[in-house]
């Protein structure tokens, strides 16, 4: 099925009929449409600029100028470049560590960290046959600790208790020790987030990272955050060596342009997509399919 963008570009090309051939100026017009499509999908402006520059270079090769269907040829290039930027192939969770493999969850409050922690626990239990322990380092919101307990149970994993009067790094060390003694394969560490980026909290998660030495540090980000996702991603990338991204709420009606922005800013692969509030609403991220969604 032709995307809305393909249709727009095809219309543009039809308007050019009568001209002997597609020119560089026509390609510029088409690229303007691509730019609009990306902005409509909420991809951040600097990311769009970079992206268009890369596509332009490719488009001005013979591929588009010499093509019988230049609109389609351009969409082909855009699609391929989008998928390549967001990462090709499947990037599964890395558990390549002396057990327990520690996975640290980072991101703003409301991004979906706790939900994703449980979804990931279920994924690792069912798909990778692992014994999984979860723990919450969110000492600011007792409700968050309880929430993790509830969803961990739903996932069929074990939950390690923590209380608001403890230091997050002490909680983490306690959980790690318990995980070692009881032969857990994976320890998932949920963390506190705030609505805005916060120095104290960033230091806290840096300390947690230092104590835990996780094999995966996953940045959980809400696809509905759109343009703002860039600033959040920058802040987390500066604080932590991110190893992967989980893009949540892709069941919402955003076109998911945040995927492109966050990937470009962090350089980390997008590993999973959250596609519902339910415990089984986690999918391995499919860059090609997502490219189609961004283009609308
Ligand atoms: P946290 O503050 O980062 O731990 O975020 P939560 O895990 O508490 O999630 C915040 C809200 O987003 C909750 O209402 C979740 O049910 C919801 N949520 C998380 N992931 C998804 C998702 O992939 N799709 C939808 N529709 N809702 C989600």
């Amino acid at each position: 099925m032709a995307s809305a963008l393909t249709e727009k570009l095809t219309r543009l090309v039809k308007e050019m009929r009568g001209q002997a051939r597609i020119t560089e100026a026509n390609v510029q017009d088409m690229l303007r449409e691509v730019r609009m499509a990306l902005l409509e999908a909420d991809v951040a402006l600097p990311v769009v600029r970079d992206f268009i520059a890369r596509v332009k270079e490719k488009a001005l090769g013979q591929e588009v100028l010499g093509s019988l269907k230049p609109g389609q040829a351009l969409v082909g290039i855009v699609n391929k470049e989008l998928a390549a930027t967001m990462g090709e192939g499947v990037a599964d969770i890395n558990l390549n560590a002396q057990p327990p493999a520690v996975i640290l969850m980072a991101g703003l409050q409301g991004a979906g960290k706790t939900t994703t922690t449980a979804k990931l626990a279920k994924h690792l239990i069912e798909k990778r046959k692992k014994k999984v322990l979860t723990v919450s380092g969110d000492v600011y919101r007792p409700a968050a600790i309880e929430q993790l307990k509830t969803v961990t149970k739903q996932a069929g994993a074990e939950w390690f208790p923590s209380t608001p009067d403890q230091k997050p790094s002490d909680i983490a060390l306690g959980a790690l020790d318990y995980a070692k003694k009881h032969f857990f394969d994976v320890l998932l560490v949920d963390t506190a987030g705030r609505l805005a980026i916060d120095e104290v909290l960033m230091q806290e998660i840096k300390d947690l990272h230092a104590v835990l030495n996780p094999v995966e540090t996953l940045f959980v980000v809400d696809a509905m955050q759109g343009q703002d996702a860039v600033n959040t991603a920058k802040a987390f990338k500066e604080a932590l060596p991110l190893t992967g991204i989980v893009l949540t709420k892709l069941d919402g009606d955003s076109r998911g342009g945040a995927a492109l922005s966050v990937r470009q800013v962090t350089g980390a692969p997008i590993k999973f997509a959250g596609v519902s509030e339910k415990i089984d609403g986690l999918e391995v991220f499919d860059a090609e399919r997502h490219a189609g969604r961004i283009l609308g």
Side-chain angles (χ1 to χ4, degrees), residues 107-116 119 141 147 190-191 220 247-252 273-277 281:
L108 288 187
Q109 184 179 323
K113 281 184 307 298
T114 305
T115 310
T116 305
K119 287 174 174 176
R141 294 188 310 140
Q147 185 194 347
D190 192 10
T191 61
V220 180
L247 197 62
T248 62
K249 308 188 195 179
L250 270 183
D251 50 317
V275 294
S276 90
E277 287 186 284

